[in-house]
Coordinates of all heavy atoms in Angstrom, one line a residue:
Chain B
T173 N 2.6 3.7 -21.9 CA 2.7 5.0 -22.4 C 1.5 5.8 -21.9 O 0.4 5.4 -22.0 CB 2.8 5.0 -24.0 OG1 3.7 4.1 -24.3 CG2 3.1 6.3 -24.5
V174 N 1.7 7.0 -21.6 CA 0.6 8.0 -21.3 C 0.4 8.8 -22.6 O 1.4 9.6 -22.9 CB 1.0 8.8 -20.1 CG1 -0.3 9.6 -19.7 CG2 1.5 8.0 -19.0
S175 N -0.7 8.9 -23.1 CA -0.9 9.8 -24.3 C -1.7 10.9 -23.9 O -2.5 10.8 -22.9 CB -1.5 9.0 -25.4 OG -1.4 7.7 -25.3
I176 N -1.7 11.9 -24.6 CA -2.5 13.1 -24.3 C -3.4 13.3 -25.5 O -3.1 13.3 -26.6 CB -1.5 14.3 -24.2 CG1 -0.6 14.1 -23.0 CG2 -2.3 15.6 -24.0 CD1 -1.3 13.9 -21.7
L177 N -4.7 13.6 -25.1 CA -5.7 13.8 -26.1 C -5.4 15.2 -26.8 O -4.8 16.1 -26.2 CB -7.0 13.8 -25.6 CG -7.5 12.5 -25.0 CD1 -8.8 12.6 -24.3 CD2 -7.5 11.5 -26.1
P178 N -5.8 15.5 -28.0 CA -5.5 16.7 -28.8 C -5.9 18.0 -28.0 O -5.2 18.9 -28.0 CB -6.4 16.5 -30.0 CG -6.8 15.1 -30.1 CD -6.5 14.5 -28.8
D179 N -7.1 17.9 -27.3 CA -7.5 19.2 -26.6 C -6.8 19.4 -25.3 O -7.2 20.3 -24.6 CB -9.0 19.1 -26.6 CG -9.5 18.1 -25.6 OD1 -8.7 17.2 -25.3 OD2 -10.7 18.0 -25.3
G180 N -5.8 18.6 -25.0 CA -5.0 18.9 -23.8 C -5.6 18.1 -22.6 O -5.0 18.3 -21.5
M181 N -6.7 17.4 -22.8 CA -7.3 16.6 -21.7 C -6.5 15.3 -21.5 O -6.3 14.5 -22.6 CB -8.7 16.2 -22.0 CG -9.7 17.4 -21.9 SD -10.1 17.7 -20.1 CE -11.0 16.2 -19.7
A182 N -6.1 15.0 -20.4 CA -5.4 13.7 -20.2 C -6.4 12.6 -20.2 O -7.5 12.8 -19.8 CB -4.7 13.7 -18.8
L183 N -5.9 11.4 -20.7 CA -6.8 10.3 -20.7 C -7.0 9.9 -19.3 O -6.2 10.1 -18.5 CB -6.0 9.1 -21.5 CG -6.0 9.1 -23.0 CD1 -5.2 8.0 -23.5 CD2 -7.5 8.9 -23.5
D184 N -8.2 9.3 -19.0 CA -8.5 9.0 -17.7 C -7.9 7.6 -17.3 O -8.7 6.9 -16.6 CB -10.0 9.2 -17.4 CG -10.8 8.2 -18.1 OD1 -10.3 7.6 -18.9 OD2 -12.0 8.0 -17.7
V185 N -6.7 7.3 -17.7 CA -6.2 6.1 -17.3 C -4.8 6.4 -16.7 O -4.1 7.2 -17.3 CB -6.1 5.0 -18.4 CG1 -7.4 4.4 -18.5 CG2 -5.6 5.6 -19.6
L186 N -4.5 5.8 -15.6 CA -3.1 6.0 -15.2 C -2.3 4.8 -15.9 O -2.7 3.8 -16.1 CB -3.0 5.7 -13.7 CG -3.5 6.9 -12.9 CD1 -3.5 6.6 -11.4 CD2 -2.5 8.1 -13.1
P187 N -1.0 5.0 -16.2 CA -0.3 4.0 -16.8 C 0.0 2.9 -15.7 O 0.1 3.2 -14.6 CB 1.1 4.7 -17.1 CG 1.1 5.9 -16.2 CD -0.3 6.4 -16.0
I188 N -0.1 1.7 -16.2 CA 0.1 0.6 -15.3 C 1.6 0.4 -15.1 O 2.1 -0.5 -15.8 CB -0.7 -0.6 -15.7 CG1 -2.1 -0.3 -15.9 CG2 -0.6 -1.8 -14.7 CD1 -2.7 -1.1 -17.0
M189 N 2.2 1.0 -14.2 CA 3.6 0.9 -14.0 C 3.8 -0.1 -12.8 O 4.9 -0.3 -12.2 CB 4.3 2.1 -13.7 CG 4.4 3.0 -15.1 SD 5.1 4.5 -14.8 CE 4.8 5.2 -16.4
W190 N 2.7 -0.6 -12.3 CA 2.8 -1.4 -11.1 C 2.4 -2.8 -11.5 O 1.3 -3.2 -11.9 CB 1.7 -0.9 -10.1 CG 1.9 -1.4 -8.7 CD1 2.7 -1.0 -7.8 CD2 1.2 -2.6 -8.1 NE1 2.5 -1.8 -6.6 CE2 1.7 -2.7 -6.8 CE3 0.3 -3.4 -8.6 CZ2 1.2 -3.7 -6.0 CZ3 -0.2 -4.4 -7.8 CH2 0.3 -4.6 -6.5
H191 N 3.4 -3.7 -11.5 CA 3.2 -5.1 -12.0 C 3.1 -6.0 -10.7 O 3.6 -7.2 -10.8 CB 4.4 -5.5 -12.8 CG 4.6 -4.6 -14.0 ND1 3.7 -4.5 -15.1 CD2 5.5 -3.6 -14.2 CE1 4.2 -3.6 -15.9 NE2 5.2 -3.0 -15.4
G192 N 2.6 -5.5 -9.7 CA 2.6 -6.4 -8.4 C 1.4 -7.4 -8.3 O 0.6 -7.6 -9.3
D193 N 1.4 -8.0 -7.2 CA 0.4 -9.1 -6.8 C -0.7 -8.3 -6.1 O -0.7 -8.1 -4.9 CB 1.1 -10.1 -6.0 CG 0.2 -11.2 -5.7 OD1 -1.0 -11.2 -5.6 OD2 0.8 -12.3 -5.3

Side-chain angles (χ1 to χ4, degrees):
Chain B
T173 310
V174 190
S175 338
I176 297 301
L177 296 176
D179 60 354
M181 286 280 292
L183 281 175
D184 65 345
V185 281
L186 283 170
I188 304 151
M189 292 182 185
W190 194 85
H191 306 283
D193 182 338

